[in-house]
Coordinates of all heavy atoms in Angstrom, one line a residue:
M1 N 91.8 103.0 98.0 CA 91.1 103.6 96.8 C 90.6 105.0 97.2 O 90.2 105.3 98.4 CB 89.9 102.7 96.5 CG 89.1 103.2 95.2 SD 88.0 102.0 94.7 CE 86.5 102.9 95.0
N2 N 90.6 105.9 96.3 CA 90.2 107.2 96.5 C 88.7 107.3 96.7 O 88.0 106.9 95.8 CB 90.7 108.1 95.4 CG 90.7 109.6 95.7 OD1 90.2 110.0 96.8 ND2 91.1 110.4 94.8
R3 N 88.2 107.9 97.8 CA 86.8 107.9 98.0 C 86.0 108.7 97.1 O 84.8 108.5 96.9 CB 86.6 108.4 99.5 CG 86.1 107.2 100.3 CD 85.6 107.7 101.7 NE 86.8 107.6 102.6 CZ 87.1 108.5 103.5 NH1 86.3 109.5 103.7 NH2 88.1 108.3 104.3
K4 N 86.6 109.8 96.5 CA 85.9 110.6 95.6 C 85.5 110.0 94.3 O 84.6 110.4 93.6 CB 86.6 111.9 95.4 CG 87.8 111.8 94.5 CD 88.5 113.2 94.2 CE 89.6 113.0 93.3 NZ 90.2 114.3 93.0
N5 N 86.1 108.8 94.0 CA 85.8 108.1 92.8 C 84.7 107.1 93.0 O 84.2 106.5 92.0 CB 87.0 107.4 92.3 CG 88.1 108.3 91.8 OD1 87.7 109.4 91.3 ND2 89.3 107.9 91.8
I6 N 84.2 106.8 94.2 CA 83.2 105.8 94.5 C 81.9 106.2 93.7 O 81.3 105.3 93.1 CB 83.0 105.6 96.0 CG1 84.2 104.9 96.6 CG2 81.7 104.8 96.2 CD1 84.2 104.8 98.1
P7 N 81.4 107.4 93.8 CA 80.1 107.7 93.1 C 80.2 107.5 91.6 O 79.3 107.0 91.0 CB 79.8 109.1 93.4 CG 80.6 109.4 94.7 CD 81.8 108.5 94.6
L8 N 81.4 107.9 91.0 CA 81.6 107.7 89.6 C 81.6 106.3 89.2 O 81.0 105.9 88.2 CB 82.8 108.4 89.2 CG 82.9 109.9 89.5 CD1 84.3 110.5 89.1 CD2 81.8 110.6 88.7
L9 N 82.4 105.4 89.9 CA 82.4 104.0 89.6 C 81.1 103.3 89.7 O 80.7 102.5 88.9 CB 83.5 103.3 90.4 CG 84.9 103.7 90.2 CD1 85.9 103.1 91.2 CD2 85.3 103.4 88.8
L10 N 80.4 103.7 90.8 CA 79.1 103.1 91.0 C 78.1 103.5 89.9 O 77.4 102.6 89.4 CB 78.5 103.5 92.4 CG 77.2 102.9 92.9 CD1 77.4 101.4 93.1 CD2 76.8 103.5 94.2
M11 N 78.1 104.7 89.6 CA 77.2 105.2 88.5 C 77.5 104.6 87.2 O 76.6 104.2 86.5 CB 77.4 106.8 88.4 CG 76.6 107.4 87.3 SD 76.9 109.2 87.2 CE 78.5 109.2 86.5
L12 N 78.8 104.5 86.8 CA 79.2 104.0 85.5 C 78.9 102.5 85.4 O 78.5 102.0 84.4 CB 80.6 104.3 85.2 CG 80.9 105.7 84.9 CD1 82.4 106.0 84.8 CD2 80.2 106.2 83.7
T13 N 79.1 101.8 86.5 CA 78.8 100.3 86.5 C 77.3 100.1 86.4 O 76.9 99.2 85.6 CB 79.3 99.7 87.9 OG1 80.7 100.0 88.0 CG2 79.0 98.2 87.9
A14 N 76.5 100.8 87.1 CA 75.0 100.7 87.0 C 74.6 101.1 85.6 O 73.7 100.5 85.0 CB 74.3 101.6 88.0
G15 N 75.2 102.1 85.0 CA 74.9 102.5 83.6 C 75.2 101.5 82.6 O 74.4 101.2 81.7
A16 N 76.3 100.8 82.8 CA 76.7 99.7 81.8 C 75.7 98.6 81.9 O 75.3 98.0 80.9 CB 78.1 99.3 82.2
V17 N 75.3 98.2 83.1 CA 74.4 97.1 83.3 C 73.0 97.5 82.7 O 72.4 96.7 82.0 CB 74.2 96.8 84.8 CG1 73.0 95.8 85.1 CG2 75.5 96.2 85.4
T18 N 72.6 98.8 82.9 CA 71.4 99.2 82.3 C 71.4 99.2 80.8 O 70.5 98.8 80.1 CB 71.1 100.7 82.8 OG1 71.0 100.7 84.2 CG2 69.8 101.2 82.2
C19 N 72.5 99.6 80.2 CA 72.7 99.6 78.7 C 72.6 98.2 78.2 O 71.9 97.9 77.2 CB 74.0 100.2 78.3 SG 74.0 102.0 78.5
I20 N 73.2 97.2 78.9 CA 73.2 95.8 78.4 C 71.8 95.3 78.5 O 71.3 94.6 77.6 CB 74.2 95.0 79.2 CG1 75.6 95.5 78.9 CG2 74.0 93.5 79.0 CD1 76.7 94.9 79.8
I21 N 71.1 95.5 79.6 CA 69.8 94.9 79.8 C 68.8 95.5 78.8 O 68.0 94.8 78.2 CB 69.3 95.1 81.3 CG1 70.1 94.3 82.2 CG2 67.8 94.8 81.4 CD1 69.9 94.5 83.7
T22 N 68.8 96.8 78.7 CA 67.9 97.4 77.7 C 68.2 97.0 76.3 O 67.2 96.9 75.5 CB 67.9 99.0 77.9 OG1 69.2 99.5 77.7 CG2 67.3 99.4 79.2
Y23 N 69.4 96.8 75.9 CA 69.7 96.4 74.6 C 69.3 94.9 74.3 O 68.7 94.6 73.3 CB 71.2 96.5 74.4 CG 71.7 96.1 73.0 CD1 71.5 96.9 71.9 CD2 72.3 94.8 72.7 CE1 71.9 96.6 70.6 CE2 72.6 94.5 71.5 CZ 72.4 95.4 70.4 OH 72.8 95.0 69.1
V24 N 69.5 94.1 75.3 CA 69.1 92.7 75.2 C 67.6 92.5 75.1 O 67.0 91.7 74.4 CB 69.7 91.8 76.4 CG1 69.1 90.4 76.4 CG2 71.2 91.7 76.3
K25 N 66.9 93.3 75.9 CA 65.4 93.3 75.9 C 64.8 94.0 74.7 O 63.6 94.1 74.5 CB 64.9 93.9 77.2 CG 65.3 93.2 78.5 CD 64.2 92.3 78.9 CE 64.6 91.7 80.2 NZ 63.6 90.8 80.7
K26 N 65.7 94.7 73.9 CA 65.3 95.4 72.7 C 64.3 96.5 72.9 O 63.3 96.6 72.2 CB 64.7 94.4 71.7 CG 65.7 93.4 71.2 CD 65.2 92.5 70.2 CE 66.4 91.5 69.8 NZ 66.0 90.5 68.8
Y27 N 64.6 97.3 73.9 CA 63.9 98.5 74.2 C 64.1 99.5 73.1 O 65.2 99.5 72.5 CB 64.2 99.2 75.5 CG 63.7 98.4 76.8 CD1 63.3 97.1 76.7 CD2 63.6 99.1 78.0 CE1 62.8 96.5 77.8 CE2 63.2 98.5 79.1 CZ 62.8 97.2 79.0 OH 62.3 96.6 80.2
P28 N 63.2 100.4 72.8 CA 63.5 101.5 71.8 C 64.6 102.4 72.4 O 64.8 102.6 73.6 CB 62.1 102.3 71.7 CG 61.1 101.4 72.3 CD 61.8 100.4 73.2
V29 N 65.3 103.1 71.5 CA 66.4 103.9 71.8 C 66.0 105.0 72.8 O 66.7 105.3 73.8 CB 67.1 104.5 70.6 CG1 68.2 105.5 71.0 CG2 67.7 103.4 69.7
H30 N 64.9 105.6 72.5 CA 64.4 106.7 73.4 C 64.2 106.2 74.8 O 64.6 106.9 75.8 CB 63.1 107.3 72.8 CG 62.6 108.5 73.5 ND1 61.7 108.4 74.6 CD2 62.9 109.8 73.3 CE1 61.5 109.6 75.1 NE2 62.2 110.5 74.3
T31 N 63.6 105.0 75.0 CA 63.4 104.4 76.3 C 64.7 104.1 77.0 O 64.9 104.2 78.2 CB 62.5 103.2 76.2 OG1 61.3 103.6 75.5 CG2 62.1 102.7 77.6
Q32 N 65.6 103.6 76.1 CA 67.0 103.2 76.7 C 67.6 104.4 77.3 O 68.2 104.4 78.4 CB 67.8 102.6 75.6 CG 67.5 101.2 75.1 CD 68.4 100.8 74.0 OE1 69.3 101.5 73.6 NE2 68.2 99.5 73.6
L33 N 67.6 105.6 76.6 CA 68.2 106.8 77.0 C 67.6 107.3 78.3 O 68.3 107.8 79.2 CB 68.2 107.8 75.9 CG 69.1 107.5 74.7 CD1 68.9 108.6 73.7 CD2 70.6 107.4 75.2
I34 N 66.3 107.3 78.4 CA 65.6 107.7 79.6 C 66.0 106.9 80.8 O 66.3 107.3 81.9 CB 64.1 107.8 79.4 CG1 63.7 108.9 78.3 CG2 63.3 108.0 80.7 CD1 62.3 108.9 77.9
A35 N 66.0 105.5 80.6 CA 66.3 104.6 81.6 C 67.8 104.8 82.1 O 68.1 104.8 83.3 CB 66.1 103.2 81.2
L36 N 68.6 105.0 81.1 CA 70.1 105.2 81.4 C 70.3 106.5 82.2 O 71.0 106.5 83.2 CB 70.9 105.3 80.1 CG 72.4 105.6 80.3 CD1 73.0 104.5 81.1 CD2 73.0 105.8 79.0
F37 N 69.6 107.6 81.8 CA 69.7 108.9 82.5 C 69.2 108.7 84.0 O 69.9 109.2 84.9 CB 69.0 110.0 81.8 CG 69.1 111.3 82.5 CD1 70.3 112.0 82.5 CD2 68.0 111.8 83.1 CE1 70.4 113.2 83.1 CE2 68.1 113.0 83.8 CZ 69.3 113.7 83.8
A38 N 68.1 108.1 84.1 CA 67.5 107.9 85.5 C 68.4 107.1 86.4 O 68.7 107.5 87.5 CB 66.1 107.3 85.4
V39 N 69.0 106.0 85.8 CA 69.9 105.2 86.6 C 71.2 105.9 87.0 O 71.6 105.8 88.1 CB 70.2 103.9 85.8 CG1 71.4 103.1 86.4 CG2 69.0 103.0 85.8
L40 N 71.7 106.7 86.0 CA 73.0 107.4 86.3 C 72.7 108.4 87.4 O 73.6 108.5 88.3 CB 73.5 108.1 85.0 CG 74.0 107.2 83.9 CD1 74.4 108.1 82.7 CD2 75.1 106.4 84.4
V41 N 71.6 109.2 87.4 CA 71.3 110.2 88.4 C 71.1 109.5 89.8 O 71.7 109.9 90.8 CB 70.1 111.0 88.0 CG1 69.7 111.9 89.2 CG2 70.4 111.9 86.8
I42 N 70.3 108.4 89.8 CA 70.0 107.8 91.1 C 71.3 107.2 91.7 O 71.5 107.3 92.9 CB 69.0 106.6 90.8 CG1 67.6 107.3 90.5 CG2 68.9 105.7 92.0 CD1 66.6 106.3 90.0
F43 N 72.1 106.5 90.9 CA 73.3 105.9 91.5 C 74.4 106.9 91.8 O 75.2 106.6 92.7 CB 73.8 104.8 90.6 CG 73.1 103.5 90.8 CD1 72.0 103.2 90.0 CD2 73.5 102.5 91.7 CE1 71.3 102.0 90.2 CE2 72.8 101.4 91.9 CZ 71.7 101.1 91.1
Y44 N 74.4 108.0 91.2 CA 75.4 109.0 91.6 C 75.0 109.6 92.9 O 75.8 109.8 93.8 CB 75.4 110.2 90.5 CG 76.5 111.2 90.9 CD1 77.8 111.0 90.7 CD2 76.1 112.4 91.5 CE1 78.8 111.9 91.0 CE2 77.1 113.3 91.9 CZ 78.4 113.1 91.6 OH 79.3 114.0 92.0
V45 N 73.7 109.8 93.1 CA 73.2 110.3 94.4 C 73.5 109.3 95.5 O 73.9 109.6 96.6 CB 71.7 110.7 94.4 CG1 71.1 111.0 95.7 CG2 71.5 111.9 93.4
L46 N 73.2 108.0 95.2 CA 73.5 107.0 96.2 C 75.0 106.8 96.6 O 75.3 106.7 97.7 CB 73.0 105.6 95.7 CG 71.4 105.4 95.7 CD1 71.1 104.1 95.0 CD2 70.8 105.6 97.0
G47 N 75.8 107.0 95.5 CA 77.3 106.9 95.8 C 77.7 108.1 96.6 O 78.6 108.0 97.5
S48 N 77.2 109.3 96.3 CA 77.6 110.5 97.1 C 77.1 110.3 98.6 O 77.9 110.7 99.5 CB 76.9 111.7 96.5 OG 77.4 111.9 95.2
A49 N 75.9 109.7 98.8 CA 75.5 109.5 100.1 C 76.4 108.5 100.8 O 76.7 108.6 102.0 CB 74.0 109.0 100.1
L50 N 76.8 107.5 100.1 CA 77.7 106.5 100.7 C 79.1 107.1 101.1 O 79.6 106.9 102.2 CB 78.0 105.4 99.7 CG 79.0 104.3 100.1 CD1 78.4 103.5 101.3 CD2 79.3 103.4 98.9
V51 N 79.6 108.0 100.3 CA 80.9 108.7 100.6 C 80.7 109.6 101.8 O 81.5 109.6 102.7 CB 81.4 109.5 99.4 CG1 82.5 110.4 99.8 CG2 81.8 108.5 98.3
W52 N 79.6 110.3 101.8 CA 79.3 111.2 103.0 C 79.2 110.4 104.3 O 79.8 110.8 105.3 CB 78.0 112.0 102.7 CG 77.7 112.9 103.9 CD1 78.2 114.1 104.1 CD2 76.9 112.6 105.0 NE1 77.7 114.7 105.3 CE2 76.9 113.8 105.8 CE3 76.1 111.5 105.4 CZ2 76.2 113.8 107.0 CZ3 75.4 111.6 106.6 CH2 75.4 112.7 107.4
T53 N 78.5 109.2 104.2 CA 78.3 108.4 105.4 C 79.7 107.9 105.9 O 80.0 107.9 107.1 CB 77.4 107.2 105.1 OG1 76.1 107.8 104.6 CG2 77.1 106.4 106.3
V54 N 80.5 107.4 105.0 CA 81.8 106.8 105.4 C 82.7 108.0 106.0 O 83.3 107.8 107.0 CB 82.5 106.2 104.2 CG1 84.0 105.9 104.5 CG2 81.8 104.9 103.7
G55 N 82.6 109.1 105.4 CA 83.4 110.3 105.9 C 82.9 110.7 107.3 O 83.7 111.0 108.1
Y56 N 81.6 110.6 107.5 CA 81.0 111.0 108.8 C 81.5 110.0 109.9 O 81.9 110.5 111.0 CB 79.5 111.0 108.7 CG 78.8 111.3 110.0 CD1 78.8 112.6 110.4 CD2 78.2 110.3 110.8 CE1 78.1 113.0 111.6 CE2 77.6 110.6 111.9 CZ 77.5 112.0 112.4 OH 76.9 112.3 113.5
F57 N 81.5 108.7 109.6 CA 81.9 107.8 110.6 C 83.4 107.9 110.8 O 83.9 107.7 111.9 CB 81.6 106.3 110.1 CG 80.1 106.0 110.3 CD1 79.4 105.5 109.3 CD2 79.5 106.2 111.5 CE1 78.0 105.3 109.4 CE2 78.1 105.9 111.7 CZ 77.4 105.5 110.6
E58 N 84.2 108.1 109.8 CA 85.6 108.3 109.9 C 85.9 109.5 110.8 O 86.9 109.5 111.6 CB 86.3 108.4 108.6 CG 87.8 108.5 108.7 CD 88.5 108.4 107.3 OE1 88.2 107.5 106.5 OE2 89.3 109.3 107.1
K59 N 85.2 110.6 110.6 CA 85.4 111.8 111.4 C 85.1 111.5 112.9 O 85.9 111.9 113.8 CB 84.5 112.9 110.9 CG 84.6 114.2 111.6 CD 83.7 115.3 111.1 CE 83.8 116.5 111.9 NZ 82.8 117.5 111.5
Q60 N 84.1 110.7 113.2 CA 83.8 110.4 114.6 C 84.9 109.5 115.1 O 85.3 109.7 116.3 CB 82.4 109.6 114.6 CG 81.2 110.5 114.5 CD 80.0 109.6 114.6 OE1 79.9 108.4 114.5 NE2 78.9 110.3 114.9
N61 N 85.4 108.6 114.4 CA 86.5 107.7 114.8 C 87.8 108.6 115.1 O 88.5 108.3 116.1 CB 86.8 106.6 113.8 CG 85.7 105.6 113.8 OD1 85.0 105.4 114.7 ND2 85.7 104.9 112.7
E62 N 88.0 109.5 114.3 CA 89.2 110.4 114.5 C 89.0 111.2 115.8 O 90.0 111.5 116.5 CB 89.4 111.3 113.3 CG 90.0 110.6 112.1 CD 90.1 111.5 110.9 OE1 89.9 112.7 111.0 OE2 90.5 111.0 109.8
E63 N 87.8 111.7 116.0 CA 87.6 112.5 117.2 C 87.8 111.6 118.5 O 88.4 112.1 119.5 CB 86.1 113.0 117.2 CG 85.9 114.2 116.2 CD 84.5 114.6 116.2 OE1 83.6 114.1 116.8 OE2 84.2 115.6 115.4
K64 N 87.3 110.4 118.4 CA 87.5 109.4 119.6 C 89.0 109.2 119.8 O 89.5 109.2 120.9 CB 86.8 108.1 119.3 CG 85.3 108.2 119.5 CD 84.7 106.9 119.4 CE 83.2 107.0 119.5 NZ 82.5 105.7 119.3
R65 N 89.8 109.0 118.7 CA 91.2 108.8 118.8 C 91.9 110.0 119.3 O 92.8 109.9 120.1 CB 91.8 108.5 117.4 CG 91.5 107.1 116.9 CD 92.3 106.8 115.6 NE 91.5 105.8 114.9 CZ 91.2 105.9 113.6 NH1 91.6 106.9 112.9 NH2 90.6 105.0 113.0
G66 N 91.4 111.2 118.9 CA 92.0 112.4 119.4 C 91.8 112.6 120.9 O 92.7 113.0 121.7
E67 N 90.6 112.2 121.4 CA 90.3 112.3 122.8 C 91.1 111.3 123.6 O 91.7 111.7 124.7 CB 88.8 112.0 123.1 CG 87.9 113.1 122.6 CD 86.4 112.7 122.6 OE1 86.1 111.6 123.1 OE2 85.6 113.6 122.2
E68 N 91.3 110.1 123.1 CA 92.1 109.2 123.8 C 93.6 109.6 123.7 O 94.3 109.4 124.7 CB 92.0 107.8 123.1 CG 90.6 107.2 123.3 CD 90.5 105.9 122.5 OE1 91.4 105.5 121.7 OE2 89.4 105.3 122.6
G69 N 94.0 110.2 122.6 CA 95.4 110.7 122.5 C 95.7 111.8 123.5 O 96.8 111.9 124.0
E70 N 94.7 112.7 123.7 CA 94.9 113.8 124.7 C 95.2 113.3 126.1 O 96.0 113.8 126.8 CB 93.7 114.7 124.7 CG 93.5 115.5 123.4 CD 92.3 116.4 123.4 OE1 91.5 116.4 124.4 OE2 92.0 117.0 122.4
V71 N 94.5 112.2 126.4 CA 94.7 111.6 127.8 C 96.1 111.1 127.8 O 96.8 111.3 128.8 CB 93.6 110.5 128.0 CG1 93.9 109.8 129.3 CG2 92.2 111.1 128.1
I72 N 96.5 110.4 126.8 CA 97.9 109.8 126.8 C 98.9 110.9 126.8 O 99.9 110.8 127.6 CB 98.0 108.9 125.5 CG1 97.1 107.7 125.7 CG2 99.5 108.5 125.4 CD1 97.1 106.9 124.4
E73 N 98.7 112.0 126.1 CA 99.6 113.1 126.1 C 99.7 113.8 127.5 O 100.8 114.1 127.9 CB 99.2 114.2 125.1 CG 99.4 113.7 123.6 CD 98.8 114.7 122.6 OE1 98.4 115.8 123.0 OE2 98.8 114.4 121.5
K74 N 98.6 113.9 128.2 CA 98.7 114.5 129.5 C 99.5 113.6 130.4 O 100.3 114.1 131.2 CB 97.3 114.7 130.1 CG 96.5 115.8 129.4 CD 95.1 115.9 129.9 CE 94.3 117.0 129.2 NZ 92.9 117.1 129.7
D75 N 99.3 112.3 130.3 CA 100.1 111.4 131.2 C 101.6 111.5 130.9 O 102.4 111.6 131.8 CB 99.7 110.0 131.0 CG 98.3 109.7 131.5 OD1 97.8 110.5 132.4 OD2 97.6 108.7 131.1
S76 N 101.9 111.6 129.6 CA 103.4 111.7 129.2 C 103.9 113.0 129.6 O 105.1 113.1 130.0 CB 103.5 111.5 127.7 OG 102.9 112.5 127.0
E77 N 103.1 114.1 129.6 CA 103.6 115.4 130.1 C 104.0 115.4 131.6 O 105.0 115.9 132.0 CB 102.6 116.5 129.8 CG 102.4 116.8 128.3 CD 101.3 117.8 128.1 OE1 100.7 118.3 129.1 OE2 101.0 118.1 126.9
N78 N 103.1 114.7 132.4 CA 103.4 114.6 133.8 C 104.7 113.8 134.1 O 105.4 114.2 134.9 CB 102.2 113.9 134.5 CG 101.0 114.8 134.5 OD1 101.0 116.0 134.3 ND2 99.8 114.2 134.7
T79 N 104.9 112.8 133.4 CA 106.1 112.0 133.6 C 107.3 112.8 133.2 O 108.4 112.7 133.8 CB 106.1 110.6 132.9 OG1 105.9 110.9 131.5 CG2 105.0 109.8 133.5
G80 N 107.2 113.5 132.1 CA 108.3 114.4 131.6 C 108.7 115.4 132.6 O 109.8 115.7 132.8
T81 N 107.7 116.0 133.3 CA 107.9 117.1 134.3 C 108.6 116.5 135.5 O 109.5 117.1 136.0 CB 106.6 117.7 134.7 OG1 105.9 118.1 133.5 CG2 106.8 118.9 135.6
E82 N 108.2 115.3 135.9 CA 108.8 114.7 137.1 C 110.3 114.4 136.8 O 111.2 114.6 137.6 CB 108.1 113.4 137.4 CG 106.7 113.6 138.0 CD 105.9 112.3 138.1 OE1 106.5 111.2 137.8 OE2 104.8 112.4 138.5
G83 N 110.6 113.9 135.6 CA 112.0 113.7 135.2 C 112.8 114.9 135.3 O 114.0 114.9 135.7
K84 N 112.3 116.1 134.8 CA 113.0 117.3 134.8 C 113.3 117.8 136.3 O 114.3 118.3 136.6 CB 112.3 118.4 134.1 CG 112.2 118.2 132.6 CD 111.5 119.2 131.9 CE 111.4 119.0 130.4 NZ 110.6 120.0 129.7
E85 N 112.3 117.6 137.2 CA 112.5 118.0 138.6 C 113.6 117.2 139.2 O 114.4 117.7 140.0 CB 111.2 117.8 139.3 CG 110.1 118.8 138.9 CD 108.7 118.5 139.6 OE1 108.7 117.5 140.4 OE2 107.8 119.2 139.3
E86 N 113.6 115.9 138.9 CA 114.7 115.0 139.4 C 116.1 115.5 138.9 O 117.0 115.5 139.7 CB 114.5 113.6 139.1 CG 113.2 113.0 139.8 CD 113.0 111.5 139.3 OE1 113.8 111.0 138.5 OE2 112.0 111.0 139.7
E87 N 116.1 115.8 137.7 CA 117.4 116.3 137.1 C 117.8 117.6 137.8 O 119.0 117.8 138.1 CB 117.3 116.5 135.6 CG 117.2 115.2 134.8 CD 116.9 115.5 133.3 OE1 117.1 116.7 132.9 OE2 116.6 114.6 132.6
N88 N 116.9 118.5 138.0 CA 117.2 119.8 138.6 C 117.7 119.6 140.1 O 118.6 120.2 140.5 CB 116.0 120.7 138.7 CG 115.6 121.2 137.3 OD1 116.5 121.2 136.4 ND2 114.4 121.7 137.1
S89 N 117.1 118.7 140.8 CA 117.5 118.4 142.2 C 118.9 117.8 142.2 O 119.7 118.1 143.1 CB 116.5 117.6 142.9 OG 116.4 116.3 142.3
E90 N 119.2 116.9 141.2 CA 120.5 116.3 141.1 C 121.6 117.4 140.8 O 122.7 117.4 141.4 CB 120.5 115.2 140.1 CG 119.8 114.0 140.5 CD 119.7 113.0 139.3 OE1 120.3 113.2 138.3 OE2 119.0 112.0 139.5
Q91 N 121.2 118.3 139.9 CA 122.2 119.4 139.5 C 122.4 120.3 140.7 O 123.5 120.7 141.0 CB 121.6 120.2 138.4 CG 121.7 119.4 137.0 CD 121.0 120.3 135.9 OE1 120.5 121.3 136.1 NE2 121.1 119.7 134.7
E92 N 121.4 120.6 141.5 CA 121.5 121.5 142.7 C 122.4 120.8 143.7 O 123.2 121.5 144.4 CB 120.1 121.8 143.2 CG 119.3 122.8 142.4 CD 117.9 123.0 142.9 OE1 117.6 122.4 143.9 OE2 117.1 123.7 142.2
A93 N 122.2 119.5 143.9 CA 123.0 118.8 144.8 C 124.5 118.8 144.4 O 125.4 118.9 145.2 CB 122.5 117.3 145.0
A94 N 124.7 118.6 143.1 CA 126.1 118.6 142.6 C 126.7 120.0 142.8 O 127.9 120.1 143.1 CB 126.1 118.2 141.1
E95 N 126.0 121.0 142.6 CA 126.5 122.4 142.7 C 126.8 122.7 144.2 O 127.7 123.4 144.5 CB 125.5 123.4 142.2 CG 125.4 123.4 140.7 CD 124.3 124.3 140.1 OE1 123.7 125.0 140.9 OE2 124.0 124.3 138.9
G96 N 125.9 122.2 145.1 CA 126.1 122.4 146.5 C 127.4 121.7 147.0 O 128.0 122.1 147.9
Q97 N 127.8 120.6 146.4 CA 128.9 119.8 146.8 C 130.2 120.5 146.3 O 131.3 120.4 146.9 CB 128.9 118.4 146.3 CG 127.8 117.6 147.0 CD 127.7 116.2 146.4 OE1 128.4 115.8 145.4 NE2 126.9 115.3 146.9
S98 N 130.1 121.3 145.3 CA 131.3 121.9 144.7 C 131.8 123.0 145.5 O 131.5 123.7 146.2 CB 131.0 122.4 143.3 OG 130.6 121.4 142.4

């Protein structure tokens, strides 16, 4: 699911619940609108905070993976260099025999 839609879905769901509850309880329209507006603003802010928190943790996880990946890359570079040195020595030996 696209993370940028989380605040919108959370806000709209809370708004729908608020509308239903205020209608069933027979609140005046003016009070319903004030309650709806307050709920929409509060849940949009909470949804945005949730998205920011999830993004922050994901960024930390990617940094950890990157650090682990650098170690693996260094190891693979060393083995690649050793293989090239062996090939060069084999080629020099073959040239020396010719």
